[in-house]
Amino acid sequence: MVTIKNETTSPDRAMETTVEAIAREAGQIALAHFRSLATLPVERKGHLDLVTDADRDVEEFLIASLRKAFPEDGVYGEEGGDITGVSGRIWVIDPIDGTFNFVRGSQNWAISIGLFDNRQPVFGAIFAPARDLMITGGNAIEAQINGNPIPMLPLFDLSRASTGIGLHPSIATEDRLEVLRFISDELRINFRCCGSSALSLVEIAMGETDGYIALGDSTWDVMAGLPILASLGVSHTIDWSRIDLQAKLRFACGSDVFLTRMGPLLDRVSVAA
């Protein structure tokens, strides 16, 4: 992987505009695959090869476009893309986050492009093409949804609280059950699983949930969403100085009050990375 340098170039609006354009064009490629799935006979829908084709085509476009726009940067992708750069910056991409939703015809899937610099996520763009939803933001860049500033997030209110969850099948059953038990029995709050880690983070930005608990997410699942949320004052429990880009993550994100409430759960299932 790329050797991280001390110097850094802060994200700016020009970068945001470029990445947003790349994400939108990638979205058109993904939408073409998505629409073709709808025309297939039922027995062919959900076939792994179809998703692999879409993932590969979108990732190849993202890598080529990011390399052209930012030739000194590295690129690291879910589908095996690992391009070494010289700047110390790495674009971490997920061509289609929420592939199960994608196959089933749900609109809850997204293209995720995050910038990793100085061992920190610093900028992100998430585009949900089927919903025509674009969210961007990061260090010194105001978070926006479809070009409009995101309003101040509501304060945590336990009586109406909700959290997103992401539980990878590889995680031990007892840990997955403990997450559900703690949220339901001890906190007694609502939970939801939209099937896309990137869009689970977008739900926080839109005020639809108060936080997110994940066991088994990959770095490319969250690299775009976390810097967007950070610009809105949302914290997380990941120590990036100890994380390799290949790592599976156990973490929580939300307001400081939310994370305090989740503290006992974090201790029990070692969510804090």
Side-chain angles (χ1 to χ4, degrees):
M1 295 303 298
V2 175
T3 300
I4 303 299
K5 298 180 180 180
N6 290 328
E7 61 268 20
T8 180
T9 301
S10 297
D12 55 26
R13 286 297 181 190
M15 174 189 292
E16 179 182 36
T17 299
T18 298
V19 175
E20 180 175 334
I22 291 171
R24 287 191 180 278
E25 192 166 349
Q28 294 307 306
I29 298 171
L31 271 177
H33 284 278
F34 183 65
R35 289 165 179 157
S36 71
L37 286 175
T39 67
L40 292 176
V42 172
E43 63 269 18
R44 295 234 30 229
K45 289 185 179 181
H47 196 282
L48 179 61
D49 290 344
L50 301 173
V51 184
T52 301
D53 288 345
D55 276 327
R56 185 190 62 244
D57 288 352
V58 175
E59 180 161 307
E60 287 178 354
F61 172 81
L62 289 174
I63 291 174
S65 299
L66 290 167
R67 290 287 290 163
K68 182 178 180 180
F70 310 105
E72 296 187 345
D73 296 351
V75 185
Y76 183 78
E78 178 188 13
E79 296 303 309
D82 190 358
I83 310 298
T84 299
V86 297
S87 68
R89 305 192 316 180
I90 307 172
W91 293 95
V92 180
I93 58 176
D94 190 343
I96 300 176
D97 184 75
T99 52
F100 185 79
N101 293 340
F102 182 91
V103 168
R104 294 298 300 265
S106 167
Q107 296 184 341
N108 280 335
W109 54 273
I111 293 161
S112 177
I113 306 174
L115 181 58
F116 193 57
D117 189 16
N118 261 346
R119 300 209 59 80
Q120 292 293 324
V122 298
F123 170 76
I126 297 171
F127 182 45
R131 297 170 56 182
D132 193 24
L133 178 67
M134 174 72 73
I135 177 170
T136 58
N139 291 5
I141 296 183
E142 180 184 35
Q144 296 187 0
I145 290 183
N146 289 344
N148 298 311
I150 298 177
M152 182 180 298
L153 297 179
L155 297 176
F156 182 79
D157 179 353
L158 188 62
S159 67
R160 58 191 298 270
S162 176
T163 183
I165 59 171
L167 304 174
H168 194 274
S170 65
I171 299 300
T173 300
E174 55 267 31
D175 283 351
R176 285 183 280 145
L177 290 177
E178 177 59 19
V179 170
L180 299 177
R181 188 206 63 78
F182 181 87
I183 292 171
S184 299
D185 294 349
E186 296 197 26
L187 289 187
R188 303 184 69 82
I189 67 174
N190 184 37
F191 63 87
R192 60 197 295 180
C193 180
C194 78
S196 163
S197 302
L199 291 180
S200 291
L201 300 182
V202 169
E203 288 179 343
I204 301 174
M206 297 176 70
E208 297 175 0
T209 60
D210 296 286
Y212 179 57
I213 301 288
L215 274 63
D217 275 9
S218 297
T219 58
W220 52 76
D221 293 326
V222 300
M223 192 63 72
L226 291 181
I228 295 170
L229 289 177
S231 71
L232 295 169
V234 176
S235 303
H236 61 77
T237 62
I238 302 172
D239 179 0
W240 286 104
S241 68
R242 300 170 49 204
I243 295 295
D244 185 272
L245 289 181
Q246 291 85 12
K248 292 292 186 181
L249 305 172
R250 292 183 172 220
F251 74 99
C253 67
S255 67
D256 290 342
V257 175
F258 175 86
L259 293 181
T260 297
R261 289 282 187 174
M262 292 293 173
L265 174 62
L266 307 187
D267 294 338
R268 292 171 197 172
V269 297
S270 301
V271 175

